[in-house]
Amino acid sequence: MDIREIVPSEIYTIDDNEYDNVSLEKKLLASVKKHTASEYNKVIAKETDYRITEALSHLRANCIEWLPIGENDSVCEIGSGYGAITEFLCERAKHVTAIELEEEKNLVNRARNQRAKNLTCITGSFDEATKEFTEQFDYILLIGSLECLARYRKEQQSYPDMLAAISAHLKPQGKLVIATANKFGLKYFAG
């Protein structure tokens, strides 16, 4: 069978309520509290819900693995979700600030990365988070969150204006890194 002929429903099944994030978040929180990162593949192997794979797979970090983030760099991750990218960043960077709108997702991220001493998790919009600090970052990441960036900003603005406001928090040589969902993502080739 040609990979182009495979559709996600042939690979994964989904609960009756695909968007039941409450039960998903409870399941993820229980999994990250019970298992270590090295055991996530065991959890994934037993799952049929692709959202568990997306949330726990170490392969999520492949999209930023090439970045030269080093032990002296500070990183801001906007839209940190369940912490798949955050975990990778904490292993590399001096400090990571993870901003997530939803407290339930942040609970999973905190539990998942509880051993990381270089992590600050903030629940709220980017505007709310950044008014409390004047820090500038070596990297600001929007990994899978560009499409919902407006939710991370209080004021109604165009995307260029929002990205300019976010970029104002970069150091002079800092980098804004954007990756967005696409049909060649994790759930198609790495499941």
Side-chain angles (χ1 to χ4, degrees):
M1 177 182 285
D2 187 330
I3 191 74
R4 290 170 291 185
E5 297 172 12
I6 299 174
V7 293
S9 62
E10 294 173 347
I11 302 171
Y12 298 102
T13 58
I14 299 172
D15 297 332
D16 289 340
N17 187 355
E18 178 178 358
Y19 299 104
D20 182 7
N21 288 336
V22 174
S23 62
L24 172 67
E25 287 153 358
K26 286 179 182 178
K27 195 174 198 177
L28 284 169
L29 188 56
S31 290
V32 299
K33 285 183 174 182
K34 183 178 177 181
H35 300 92
T36 64
S38 63
E39 298 172 320
Y40 291 162
N41 282 341
K42 293 177 188 173
V43 175
I44 291 168
K46 294 177 184 175
E47 281 299 327
T48 57
D49 186 336
Y50 75 89
R51 297 171 304 161
I52 300 291
T53 300
E54 288 181 325
L56 295 180
S57 177
H58 68 282
L59 297 174
R60 291 287 307 277
N62 286 353
C63 69
I64 62 161
E65 182 175 52
W66 59 273
L67 290 171
I69 297 171
E71 60 187 23
N72 294 319
D73 291 327
S74 61
V75 179
C76 178
E77 181 186 13
I78 302 173
S80 54
Y82 300 115
I85 303 291
T86 310
E87 184 174 32
F88 176 81
L89 293 171
C90 288
E91 293 170 1
R92 287 206 169 165
K94 180 178 184 177
H95 190 264
V96 177
T97 301
I99 301 173
E100 174 55 52
L101 277 176
E102 300 174 42
E103 179 59 25
E104 295 77 17
K105 289 182 179 180
N106 245 346
L107 287 172
V108 175
N109 195 354
R110 285 184 188 106
R112 179 182 195 150
N113 295 295
Q114 63 186 325
R115 291 180 185 88
K117 303 293 185 217
N118 61 340
L119 175 63
T120 302
C121 287
I122 300 172
T123 302
S125 70
F126 183 77
D127 292 333
E128 293 166 338
T130 56
K131 70 179 166 187
E132 295 185 21
F133 58 81
T134 58
E135 182 178 0
Q136 290 195 307
F137 300 96
D138 296 293
Y139 293 90
I140 297 178
L141 306 179
L142 292 159
I143 309 300
S145 57
L146 178 66
E147 52 276 9
C148 36
L149 185 58
R151 292 181 12 191
Y152 286 88
R153 306 273 306 157
K154 276 191 165 183
E155 301 172 19
Q156 290 289 342
Q157 293 179 315
S158 68
Y159 278 93
D161 289 342
M162 287 187 283
L163 293 174
I166 289 168
S167 296
H169 292 277
L170 285 169
K171 291 180 180 177
Q173 298 300 315
K175 307 282 188 259
L176 175 62
V177 179
I178 301 171
T180 190
N182 65 76
K183 68 179 183 175
F184 301 110
L186 175 67
K187 71 182 181 182
Y188 291 94
F189 291 130

